[in-house]
Amino acid sequence: MGSADTRRRFIEAVRRLANRRLRLLGRTAQNSTMTMVRVANDVPSAPGGLPVLGHALAFKRDPVAFLGTLRALGPMVRIQLGPKPAYVVNDEHLIRRVFVPDAHKFDKGIFWEKVGAIVGNGLANSSGTVHLRQRRMMQPMFHRRRIALYATTMAAHWAERVAGWQEGQVLDVPHEMADTALSMVVRTVFSSRLGDGAVEAMRSGFPDVQDGVMWRTMNPFPVLEKLPTPGNRRFAAGIDHIQRAVDTAIAAYRADGSDHGDLLSTLVAARDPETGTALTDDEIRDQVLTIALAAGDTTANALAWALYQIGTSPELGQCIAAEVAEVAKDRPLDVGDLDALVYTDRVVQEVFRFYAFWMLMRRTLTDVVLGDVRLPAGAQVLISPLSLHRDPAIYPDAGRFLPDRWTSEVRRTAFIPFGAGARQCIGDRFAWTEVMLGLATICRRWQLVPVTGQTTREVCRISLNPAPLHMTVTPR
């Protein structure tokens, strides 16, 4: 009996000793892990910073080239935009953390603060519970069935627009695509003539306010934004004109009380499915401007770059034309054709890879450990989908435009043309549909030939613009 009791006490003593050793090992491992986390100041810094200005001049001079050089410096690189640091994240896994599991630890950052001067607190710019409420209310407007209805309007408008071109006509392609894309979204948002004033205000005012946003994002001294310079006055006047015109259209829609079957009618009638509350006039205006800005900029530039690539490699356009002829024969295109336009879809995917957003920004809401770096609250984090998409370690032959790369397996986690996670662009399918229908409609009828002697550059505005790009209209 005594022997059994002794054995029991011995076993319990050994178990307690083992548990103490395990706890000690756990604390040691935890402390070891903590010592491996670097502070933000230890992140490698980009070379070439200037006193006071930091990297602002290099960043402004050629953002695409500047961001491309940072990838070789490591998964995270510190730059100075004037007196304030920003952290450029290059690693695809860290980018995924920012967009998906750790998204709640970030807000939109300085870039979207500047865009907020145009779009207010719309879906692209809001955060927290406001963003969730807006997304719940906006989601039905971008459901697949609604996109099919919008596609009918898109197809008809593309056919009408392209039919108006003349053989030998020289198009300013970025301007033509921007005007067409804005007209397209406007027909979707405002099908009634009650919105005519808003349409014209956006068409005339967006170029100045887009330029103003980019200057403000890269400007290291915010005090300059308050000076009464001609550029600042044009920026303020453009925003005021656009917002007043959209407010007038909203008031007219409310007074009319009719459902015009467009997005503005849907926004006016929308109710939060959880609370039953409606959108205010300010919220509706912000959503309208968010949608219009995205369509008039992102979609237009995707189309312009696609036509640039087709112009320099005519076989791309020939393949699209042949596919459209096989799928649609001589009848007008409709949304039901899109799934069968497999090659056209590959061209569009490659456009959104090669000409993705050049910059997205986030700001930490609290201390965040990203990889092995602890970023303090308020840190600006910069992500370049464009740089990621042109990484040869992810995309072989990344510097070439190769639609056929999409016939094989591609790492989809590294393909983020519309962001990722809960903040992924709600209008991604809208944009994709518009670009598909636009390319198919143009290529079945016309071949656009680049004007000789021009050198088309990548110009960073809200998205990546081709400039200059003039092309001659030739029958196919």
Side-chain angles (χ1 to χ4, degrees), residues 142 154 158 173-174 176-185 210 290-307 348 351-352 355 357 417-418 425 427-439 442 462-466:
F142 293 95
M154 291 176 187
W158 271 119
V173 172
E176 180 74 12
M177 292 302 104
D179 192 65
T180 305
L182 186 57
S183 298
M184 196 87 66
V185 77
Q210 286 173 317
T290 298
I291 294 166
L293 182 64
D297 185 79
T298 310
T299 309
N301 285 325
L303 283 158
W305 282 120
L307 293 173
V348 173
V351 167
F352 280 120
Y355 299 107
F357 268 108
F418 299 99
C425 176
D428 54 354
R429 183 49 52 185
F430 184 103
W432 203 284
T433 300
E434 184 176 341
V435 175
M436 286 277 290
L437 289 169
L439 285 187
I442 293 169
I462 290 179
S463 60
L464 200 65
N465 292 47

Short mmCIF file of all heavy atoms in Angstrom, two decimals, residues 142 154 158 173-174 176-185 210 290-307 348 351-352 355 357 417-418 425 427-439 442 462-466:
data_model
loop_
_atom_site.label_atom_id
_atom_site.label_comp_id
_atom_site.label_asym_id
_atom_site.label_seq_id
_atom_site.Cartn_x
_atom_site.Cartn_y
_atom_site.Cartn_z
N PHE A 142 -25.50 45.19 -57.88
CA PHE A 142 -24.44 44.59 -58.69
C PHE A 142 -24.55 43.07 -58.71
O PHE A 142 -23.57 42.37 -58.98
CB PHE A 142 -23.07 45.03 -58.16
CG PHE A 142 -22.82 46.50 -58.35
CD1 PHE A 142 -23.09 47.40 -57.32
CD2 PHE A 142 -22.36 47.00 -59.55
CE1 PHE A 142 -22.89 48.75 -57.50
CE2 PHE A 142 -22.16 48.36 -59.73
CZ PHE A 142 -22.42 49.24 -58.71
N MET A 154 -25.29 48.47 -72.17
CA MET A 154 -23.90 48.61 -72.61
C MET A 154 -23.73 48.19 -74.07
O MET A 154 -23.11 48.91 -74.87
CB MET A 154 -22.98 47.75 -71.73
CG MET A 154 -22.82 48.20 -70.31
SD MET A 154 -21.79 47.00 -69.40
CE MET A 154 -21.92 47.64 -67.73
N TRP A 158 -22.47 50.61 -77.03
CA TRP A 158 -21.23 50.35 -77.76
C TRP A 158 -21.48 50.29 -79.26
O TRP A 158 -20.74 50.86 -80.06
CB TRP A 158 -20.59 49.04 -77.29
CG TRP A 158 -19.66 49.20 -76.13
CD1 TRP A 158 -19.77 48.64 -74.89
CD2 TRP A 158 -18.45 49.98 -76.10
NE1 TRP A 158 -18.71 49.03 -74.08
CE2 TRP A 158 -17.89 49.84 -74.81
CE3 TRP A 158 -17.80 50.77 -77.04
CZ2 TRP A 158 -16.71 50.48 -74.44
CZ3 TRP A 158 -16.62 51.40 -76.68
CH2 TRP A 158 -16.08 51.26 -75.39
N VAL A 173 -7.66 58.18 -78.24
CA VAL A 173 -8.26 56.98 -77.66
C VAL A 173 -8.58 57.14 -76.17
O VAL A 173 -9.69 56.79 -75.74
CB VAL A 173 -7.38 55.74 -77.92
CG1 VAL A 173 -7.89 54.52 -77.15
CG2 VAL A 173 -7.36 55.43 -79.41
N PRO A 174 -7.67 57.65 -75.33
CA PRO A 174 -8.04 57.82 -73.92
C PRO A 174 -9.27 58.70 -73.74
O PRO A 174 -10.15 58.40 -72.92
CB PRO A 174 -6.80 58.44 -73.29
CG PRO A 174 -5.68 58.01 -74.17
CD PRO A 174 -6.25 58.00 -75.56
N GLU A 176 -11.65 59.29 -76.01
CA GLU A 176 -12.82 58.60 -76.56
C GLU A 176 -13.33 57.52 -75.61
O GLU A 176 -14.54 57.38 -75.40
CB GLU A 176 -12.44 57.97 -77.91
CG GLU A 176 -13.57 57.23 -78.59
CD GLU A 176 -14.62 58.15 -79.20
OE1 GLU A 176 -14.38 59.37 -79.29
OE2 GLU A 176 -15.70 57.64 -79.58
N MET A 177 -12.41 56.77 -75.01
CA MET A 177 -12.83 55.71 -74.08
C MET A 177 -13.39 56.30 -72.79
O MET A 177 -14.36 55.78 -72.23
CB MET A 177 -11.65 54.79 -73.78
CG MET A 177 -11.19 53.94 -74.96
SD MET A 177 -12.49 52.87 -75.65
CE MET A 177 -12.93 53.79 -77.15
N ALA A 178 -12.79 57.40 -72.31
CA ALA A 178 -13.30 58.03 -71.09
C ALA A 178 -14.70 58.57 -71.32
O ALA A 178 -15.60 58.40 -70.48
CB ALA A 178 -12.36 59.15 -70.64
N ASP A 179 -14.91 59.21 -72.47
CA ASP A 179 -16.22 59.77 -72.77
C ASP A 179 -17.25 58.65 -72.95
O ASP A 179 -18.38 58.75 -72.47
CB ASP A 179 -16.14 60.62 -74.03
CG ASP A 179 -17.40 61.45 -74.24
OD1 ASP A 179 -17.66 62.33 -73.40
OD2 ASP A 179 -18.11 61.20 -75.22
N THR A 180 -16.84 57.56 -73.62
CA THR A 180 -17.76 56.44 -73.82
C THR A 180 -18.09 55.76 -72.51
O THR A 180 -19.25 55.45 -72.22
CB THR A 180 -17.14 55.41 -74.79
OG1 THR A 180 -16.79 56.06 -76.01
CG2 THR A 180 -18.12 54.29 -75.10
N ALA A 181 -17.06 55.51 -71.68
CA ALA A 181 -17.29 54.83 -70.40
C ALA A 181 -18.16 55.67 -69.48
O ALA A 181 -19.06 55.14 -68.80
CB ALA A 181 -15.96 54.52 -69.72
N LEU A 182 -17.91 56.98 -69.46
CA LEU A 182 -18.74 57.85 -68.62
C LEU A 182 -20.17 57.89 -69.15
O LEU A 182 -21.13 57.83 -68.37
CB LEU A 182 -18.14 59.25 -68.56
CG LEU A 182 -18.82 60.23 -67.61
CD1 LEU A 182 -18.85 59.68 -66.19
CD2 LEU A 182 -18.12 61.58 -67.64
N SER A 183 -20.33 57.97 -70.46
CA SER A 183 -21.67 57.95 -71.04
C SER A 183 -22.38 56.65 -70.70
O SER A 183 -23.58 56.62 -70.44
CB SER A 183 -21.59 58.10 -72.57
OG SER A 183 -21.03 59.34 -72.91
N MET A 184 -21.62 55.55 -70.70
CA MET A 184 -22.18 54.24 -70.40
C MET A 184 -22.70 54.18 -68.97
O MET A 184 -23.83 53.77 -68.71
CB MET A 184 -21.10 53.17 -70.59
CG MET A 184 -21.62 51.77 -70.68
SD MET A 184 -22.04 51.37 -72.36
CE MET A 184 -20.45 51.41 -73.18
N VAL A 185 -21.86 54.59 -68.02
CA VAL A 185 -22.28 54.50 -66.63
C VAL A 185 -23.40 55.50 -66.35
O VAL A 185 -24.30 55.24 -65.55
CB VAL A 185 -21.09 54.71 -65.67
CG1 VAL A 185 -20.69 56.17 -65.54
CG2 VAL A 185 -21.43 54.16 -64.29
N GLN A 210 -9.44 64.86 -61.03
CA GLN A 210 -8.54 63.71 -60.99
C GLN A 210 -7.10 64.16 -60.86
O GLN A 210 -6.33 63.61 -60.06
CB GLN A 210 -8.72 62.85 -62.25
CG GLN A 210 -10.01 62.04 -62.25
CD GLN A 210 -10.22 61.36 -63.59
OE1 GLN A 210 -10.02 61.95 -64.64
NE2 GLN A 210 -10.61 60.11 -63.55
N THR A 290 -18.90 57.93 -56.72
CA THR A 290 -17.95 56.81 -56.61
C THR A 290 -18.05 55.92 -57.84
O THR A 290 -17.04 55.55 -58.46
CB THR A 290 -18.22 55.99 -55.34
OG1 THR A 290 -18.03 56.82 -54.19
CG2 THR A 290 -17.28 54.80 -55.25
N ILE A 291 -19.28 55.55 -58.21
CA ILE A 291 -19.49 54.68 -59.37
C ILE A 291 -19.03 55.36 -60.65
O ILE A 291 -18.34 54.78 -61.49
CB ILE A 291 -20.98 54.28 -59.47
CG1 ILE A 291 -21.37 53.41 -58.27
CG2 ILE A 291 -21.26 53.54 -60.77
CD1 ILE A 291 -22.87 53.25 -58.10
N ALA A 292 -19.40 56.62 -60.81
CA ALA A 292 -19.07 57.34 -62.05
C ALA A 292 -17.56 57.54 -62.18
O ALA A 292 -17.00 57.38 -63.27
CB ALA A 292 -19.78 58.69 -62.07
N LEU A 293 -16.89 57.86 -61.08
CA LEU A 293 -15.45 58.08 -61.14
C LEU A 293 -14.73 56.78 -61.49
O LEU A 293 -13.82 56.76 -62.31
CB LEU A 293 -14.94 58.62 -59.80
CG LEU A 293 -13.44 58.94 -59.74
CD1 LEU A 293 -13.10 60.06 -60.70
CD2 LEU A 293 -13.02 59.30 -58.32
N ALA A 294 -15.15 55.68 -60.86
CA ALA A 294 -14.52 54.39 -61.14
C ALA A 294 -14.71 53.99 -62.59
O ALA A 294 -13.77 53.55 -63.27
CB ALA A 294 -15.09 53.31 -60.21
N ALA A 295 -15.93 54.15 -63.10
CA ALA A 295 -16.21 53.74 -64.48
C ALA A 295 -15.52 54.66 -65.47
O ALA A 295 -14.99 54.21 -66.49
CB ALA A 295 -17.72 53.74 -64.72
N GLY A 296 -15.53 55.96 -65.19
CA GLY A 296 -14.95 56.91 -66.13
C GLY A 296 -13.45 56.92 -66.13
O GLY A 296 -12.82 57.48 -67.03
N ASP A 297 -12.84 56.28 -65.14
CA ASP A 297 -11.38 56.27 -65.05
C ASP A 297 -10.84 54.85 -65.25
O ASP A 297 -10.18 54.56 -66.25
CB ASP A 297 -10.93 56.82 -63.70
CG ASP A 297 -9.42 56.95 -63.60
OD1 ASP A 297 -8.87 57.92 -64.14
OD2 ASP A 297 -8.79 56.06 -63.00
N THR A 298 -11.16 53.95 -64.33
CA THR A 298 -10.60 52.60 -64.38
C THR A 298 -10.99 51.86 -65.65
O THR A 298 -10.14 51.32 -66.37
CB THR A 298 -11.09 51.81 -63.16
OG1 THR A 298 -10.86 52.57 -61.98
CG2 THR A 298 -10.38 50.48 -63.06
N THR A 299 -12.29 51.82 -65.95
CA THR A 299 -12.76 51.08 -67.12
C THR A 299 -12.25 51.71 -68.41
O THR A 299 -11.82 51.00 -69.34
CB THR A 299 -14.30 51.05 -67.13
OG1 THR A 299 -14.77 50.60 -65.85
CG2 THR A 299 -14.82 50.14 -68.20
N ALA A 300 -12.28 53.03 -68.47
CA ALA A 300 -11.82 53.72 -69.68
C ALA A 300 -10.36 53.43 -69.96
O ALA A 300 -9.96 53.18 -71.11
CB ALA A 300 -12.04 55.22 -69.53
N ASN A 301 -9.53 53.44 -68.92
CA ASN A 301 -8.11 53.18 -69.13
C ASN A 301 -7.84 51.73 -69.50
O ASN A 301 -6.93 51.44 -70.30
CB ASN A 301 -7.31 53.59 -67.89
CG ASN A 301 -7.18 55.10 -67.78
OD1 ASN A 301 -7.06 55.80 -68.78
ND2 ASN A 301 -7.22 55.62 -66.57
N ALA A 302 -8.60 50.80 -68.92
CA ALA A 302 -8.45 49.40 -69.31
C ALA A 302 -8.74 49.22 -70.80
O ALA A 302 -8.01 48.53 -71.53
CB ALA A 302 -9.37 48.51 -68.47
N LEU A 303 -9.80 49.86 -71.28
CA LEU A 303 -10.14 49.80 -72.70
C LEU A 303 -9.07 50.44 -73.56
O LEU A 303 -8.68 49.90 -74.61
CB LEU A 303 -11.49 50.49 -72.93
CG LEU A 303 -12.72 49.69 -72.52
CD1 LEU A 303 -13.91 50.60 -72.30
CD2 LEU A 303 -13.05 48.64 -73.59
N ALA A 304 -8.58 51.60 -73.14
CA ALA A 304 -7.56 52.29 -73.93
C ALA A 304 -6.29 51.46 -74.03
O ALA A 304 -5.68 51.35 -75.11
CB ALA A 304 -7.27 53.66 -73.33
N TRP A 305 -5.85 50.87 -72.91
CA TRP A 305 -4.65 50.03 -72.94
C TRP A 305 -4.87 48.78 -73.78
O TRP A 305 -3.96 48.32 -74.48
CB TRP A 305 -4.23 49.65 -71.52
CG TRP A 305 -3.52 50.74 -70.78
CD1 TRP A 305 -3.89 51.34 -69.62
CD2 TRP A 305 -2.27 51.35 -71.15
NE1 TRP A 305 -2.97 52.28 -69.24
CE2 TRP A 305 -1.97 52.31 -70.16
CE3 TRP A 305 -1.39 51.18 -72.22
CZ2 TRP A 305 -0.82 53.09 -70.20
CZ3 TRP A 305 -0.24 51.96 -72.27
CH2 TRP A 305 0.03 52.91 -71.27
N ALA A 306 -6.06 48.21 -73.72
CA ALA A 306 -6.35 47.03 -74.54
C ALA A 306 -6.23 47.39 -76.03
O ALA A 306 -5.63 46.64 -76.81
CB ALA A 306 -7.75 46.50 -74.24
N LEU A 307 -6.77 48.53 -76.42
CA LEU A 307 -6.68 48.95 -77.82
C LEU A 307 -5.24 49.28 -78.21
O LEU A 307 -4.82 49.03 -79.36
CB LEU A 307 -7.59 50.15 -78.06
CG LEU A 307 -9.09 49.84 -77.92
CD1 LEU A 307 -9.91 51.12 -77.99
CD2 LEU A 307 -9.54 48.85 -78.99
N VAL A 348 -8.74 40.44 -71.71
CA VAL A 348 -9.17 41.34 -70.63
C VAL A 348 -8.42 41.03 -69.33
O VAL A 348 -7.98 41.94 -68.61
CB VAL A 348 -10.70 41.27 -70.44
CG1 VAL A 348 -11.13 42.08 -69.22
CG2 VAL A 348 -11.42 41.78 -71.68
N VAL A 351 -5.04 42.49 -69.62
CA VAL A 351 -5.10 43.95 -69.46
C VAL A 351 -5.14 44.32 -67.98
O VAL A 351 -4.39 45.21 -67.52
CB VAL A 351 -6.32 44.53 -70.20
CG1 VAL A 351 -6.56 45.99 -69.79
CG2 VAL A 351 -6.14 44.45 -71.70
N PHE A 352 -5.99 43.65 -67.22
CA PHE A 352 -6.11 43.98 -65.80
C PHE A 352 -4.90 43.52 -64.99
O PHE A 352 -4.67 44.01 -63.89
CB PHE A 352 -7.40 43.40 -65.22
CG PHE A 352 -8.62 44.22 -65.54
CD1 PHE A 352 -9.68 43.68 -66.26
CD2 PHE A 352 -8.71 45.53 -65.13
CE1 PHE A 352 -10.81 44.44 -66.55
CE2 PHE A 352 -9.83 46.30 -65.41
CZ PHE A 352 -10.88 45.75 -66.12
N TYR A 355 -1.97 46.29 -66.50
CA TYR A 355 -2.27 47.71 -66.25
C TYR A 355 -3.17 47.86 -65.02
O TYR A 355 -4.15 48.59 -65.05
CB TYR A 355 -2.93 48.33 -67.49
CG TYR A 355 -2.05 48.28 -68.71
CD1 TYR A 355 -2.33 47.40 -69.75
CD2 TYR A 355 -0.93 49.09 -68.82
CE1 TYR A 355 -1.51 47.34 -70.88
CE2 TYR A 355 -0.10 49.04 -69.94
CZ TYR A 355 -0.40 48.16 -70.97
OH TYR A 355 0.41 48.11 -72.07
N PHE A 357 -4.17 48.80 -60.98
CA PHE A 357 -3.97 50.01 -60.18
C PHE A 357 -2.50 50.12 -59.81
O PHE A 357 -1.89 49.15 -59.35
CB PHE A 357 -4.81 49.95 -58.90
CG PHE A 357 -6.16 50.57 -59.04
CD1 PHE A 357 -7.30 49.77 -59.07
CD2 PHE A 357 -6.31 51.93 -59.15
CE1 PHE A 357 -8.55 50.33 -59.20
CE2 PHE A 357 -7.56 52.51 -59.27
CZ PHE A 357 -8.69 51.71 -59.30
N PRO A 417 -6.55 42.88 -59.33
CA PRO A 417 -6.83 44.13 -60.06
C PRO A 417 -7.90 44.98 -59.39
O PRO A 417 -7.95 46.20 -59.61
CB PRO A 417 -7.29 43.64 -61.43
CG PRO A 417 -7.83 42.27 -61.18
CD PRO A 417 -6.96 41.70 -60.10
N PHE A 418 -8.79 44.36 -58.59
CA PHE A 418 -9.86 45.10 -57.92
C PHE A 418 -9.73 45.02 -56.40
O PHE A 418 -10.71 45.17 -55.67
CB PHE A 418 -11.22 44.56 -58.36
CG PHE A 418 -11.48 44.69 -59.83
CD1 PHE A 418 -11.29 43.62 -60.69
CD2 PHE A 418 -11.89 45.90 -60.38
CE1 PHE A 418 -11.51 43.74 -62.05
CE2 PHE A 418 -12.12 46.04 -61.74
CZ PHE A 418 -11.93 44.95 -62.58
N CYS A 425 -13.52 45.75 -54.88
CA CYS A 425 -14.42 46.65 -55.60
C CYS A 425 -15.75 45.95 -55.90
O CYS A 425 -15.77 44.88 -56.53
CB CYS A 425 -13.76 47.11 -56.89
SG CYS A 425 -14.83 48.14 -57.92
N GLY A 427 -17.94 46.85 -57.94
CA GLY A 427 -18.30 46.96 -59.36
C GLY A 427 -17.38 46.21 -60.29
O GLY A 427 -17.35 46.50 -61.48
N ASP A 428 -16.63 45.22 -59.78
CA ASP A 428 -15.66 44.53 -60.62
C ASP A 428 -16.32 43.83 -61.81
O ASP A 428 -15.83 43.91 -62.95
CB ASP A 428 -14.80 43.56 -59.81
CG ASP A 428 -15.61 42.55 -59.01
OD1 ASP A 428 -16.85 42.65 -58.98
OD2 ASP A 428 -15.00 41.65 -58.41
N ARG A 429 -17.45 43.17 -61.59
CA ARG A 429 -18.13 42.47 -62.68
C ARG A 429 -18.74 43.47 -63.67
O ARG A 429 -18.77 43.20 -64.87
CB ARG A 429 -19.19 41.54 -62.10
CG ARG A 429 -19.95 40.68 -63.10
CD ARG A 429 -19.05 39.96 -64.08
NE ARG A 429 -17.98 39.19 -63.48
CZ ARG A 429 -17.04 38.56 -64.18
NH1 ARG A 429 -17.04 38.63 -65.50
NH2 ARG A 429 -16.08 37.88 -63.56
N PHE A 430 -19.20 44.60 -63.18
CA PHE A 430 -19.70 45.68 -64.05
C PHE A 430 -18.60 46.12 -65.01
O PHE A 430 -18.79 46.21 -66.22
CB PHE A 430 -20.18 46.84 -63.19
CG PHE A 430 -20.81 47.98 -63.92
CD1 PHE A 430 -22.18 48.14 -63.93
CD2 PHE A 430 -20.04 48.93 -64.59
CE1 PHE A 430 -22.79 49.21 -64.60
CE2 PHE A 430 -20.62 49.99 -65.25
CZ PHE A 430 -22.00 50.13 -65.26
N ALA A 431 -17.41 46.39 -64.45
CA ALA A 431 -16.29 46.86 -65.26
C ALA A 431 -15.85 45.80 -66.26
O ALA A 431 -15.60 46.09 -67.44
CB ALA A 431 -15.12 47.25 -64.36
N TRP A 432 -15.76 44.55 -65.80
CA TRP A 432 -15.31 43.46 -66.67
C TRP A 432 -16.27 43.30 -67.85
O TRP A 432 -15.85 43.13 -69.00
CB TRP A 432 -15.24 42.17 -65.87
CG TRP A 432 -14.31 41.14 -66.43
CD1 TRP A 432 -14.53 40.34 -67.52
CD2 TRP A 432 -13.01 40.80 -65.95
NE1 TRP A 432 -13.46 39.52 -67.73
CE2 TRP A 432 -12.51 39.77 -66.78
CE3 TRP A 432 -12.23 41.24 -64.89
CZ2 TRP A 432 -11.26 39.19 -66.59
CZ3 TRP A 432 -10.98 40.66 -64.69
CH2 TRP A 432 -10.51 39.66 -65.53
N THR A 433 -17.58 43.37 -67.56
CA THR A 433 -18.59 43.22 -68.61
C THR A 433 -18.48 44.33 -69.64
O THR A 433 -18.54 44.11 -70.85
CB THR A 433 -20.00 43.21 -67.99
OG1 THR A 433 -20.09 42.11 -67.06
CG2 THR A 433 -21.08 43.09 -69.04
N GLU A 434 -18.28 45.55 -69.16
CA GLU A 434 -18.18 46.69 -70.07
C GLU A 434 -16.96 46.58 -70.98
O GLU A 434 -17.03 46.86 -72.19
CB GLU A 434 -18.12 48.00 -69.28
CG GLU A 434 -18.12 49.22 -70.16
CD GLU A 434 -18.16 50.52 -69.37
OE1 GLU A 434 -18.54 50.50 -68.19
OE2 GLU A 434 -17.79 51.55 -69.96
N VAL A 435 -15.82 46.17 -70.42
CA VAL A 435 -14.61 46.04 -71.23
C VAL A 435 -14.76 44.90 -72.24
O VAL A 435 -14.38 45.05 -73.41
CB VAL A 435 -13.38 45.82 -70.32
CG1 VAL A 435 -12.13 45.56 -71.17
CG2 VAL A 435 -13.15 47.04 -69.43
N MET A 436 -15.32 43.79 -71.81
CA MET A 436 -15.54 42.66 -72.74
C MET A 436 -16.41 43.08 -73.92
O MET A 436 -16.07 42.85 -75.08
CB MET A 436 -16.21 41.50 -71.99
CG MET A 436 -15.31 40.73 -71.05
SD MET A 436 -14.35 39.46 -71.88
CE MET A 436 -15.61 38.27 -72.32
N LEU A 437 -17.54 43.70 -73.64
CA LEU A 437 -18.46 44.11 -74.70
C LEU A 437 -17.83 45.18 -75.59
O LEU A 437 -18.02 45.18 -76.82
CB LEU A 437 -19.77 44.62 -74.10
CG LEU A 437 -20.68 43.56 -73.48
CD1 LEU A 437 -21.81 44.21 -72.69
CD2 LEU A 437 -21.26 42.64 -74.57
N GLY A 438 -17.07 46.08 -74.99
CA GLY A 438 -16.42 47.13 -75.77
C GLY A 438 -15.40 46.56 -76.75
O GLY A 438 -15.41 46.90 -77.94
N LEU A 439 -14.51 45.69 -76.27
CA LEU A 439 -13.50 45.11 -77.15
C LEU A 439 -14.13 44.28 -78.26
O LEU A 439 -13.73 44.34 -79.42
CB LEU A 439 -12.53 44.24 -76.34
CG LEU A 439 -11.49 44.96 -75.49
CD1 LEU A 439 -10.51 43.95 -74.91
CD2 LEU A 439 -10.75 46.00 -76.29
N ILE A 442 -15.82 46.64 -80.85
CA ILE A 442 -14.85 47.39 -81.67
C ILE A 442 -14.14 46.45 -82.65
O ILE A 442 -14.04 46.74 -83.85
CB ILE A 442 -13.83 48.11 -80.76
CG1 ILE A 442 -14.52 49.22 -79.96
CG2 ILE A 442 -12.67 48.69 -81.60
CD1 ILE A 442 -13.66 49.80 -78.85
N ILE A 462 -5.50 58.59 -61.16
CA ILE A 462 -6.12 57.69 -60.20
C ILE A 462 -5.82 56.25 -60.60
O ILE A 462 -5.52 55.40 -59.77
CB ILE A 462 -7.63 57.96 -60.09
CG1 ILE A 462 -7.82 59.32 -59.38
CG2 ILE A 462 -8.34 56.85 -59.33
CD1 ILE A 462 -9.26 59.73 -59.23
N SER A 463 -5.90 55.95 -61.90
CA SER A 463 -5.37 54.69 -62.42
C SER A 463 -4.33 55.03 -63.47
O SER A 463 -3.91 56.19 -63.58
CB SER A 463 -6.50 53.82 -62.98
OG SER A 463 -7.19 54.46 -64.04
N LEU A 464 -3.87 54.04 -64.23
CA LEU A 464 -2.76 54.23 -65.15
C LEU A 464 -3.28 54.65 -66.52
O LEU A 464 -3.99 53.90 -67.18
CB LEU A 464 -1.98 52.92 -65.25
CG LEU A 464 -0.55 53.00 -65.76
CD1 LEU A 464 0.33 53.78 -64.78
CD2 LEU A 464 0.01 51.59 -65.95
N ASN A 465 -2.92 55.87 -66.95
CA ASN A 465 -3.39 56.41 -68.22
C ASN A 465 -2.36 56.24 -69.33
O ASN A 465 -1.17 56.43 -69.08
CB ASN A 465 -3.69 57.91 -68.10
CG ASN A 465 -4.88 58.21 -67.23
OD1 ASN A 465 -5.02 57.67 -66.14
ND2 ASN A 465 -5.75 59.07 -67.70
N PRO A 466 -2.80 55.93 -70.57
CA PRO A 466 -1.87 55.97 -71.71
C PRO A 466 -1.87 57.37 -72.32
O PRO A 466 -2.92 57.93 -72.61
CB PRO A 466 -2.48 54.94 -72.68
CG PRO A 466 -3.94 54.93 -72.37
CD PRO A 466 -4.11 55.38 -70.94
#
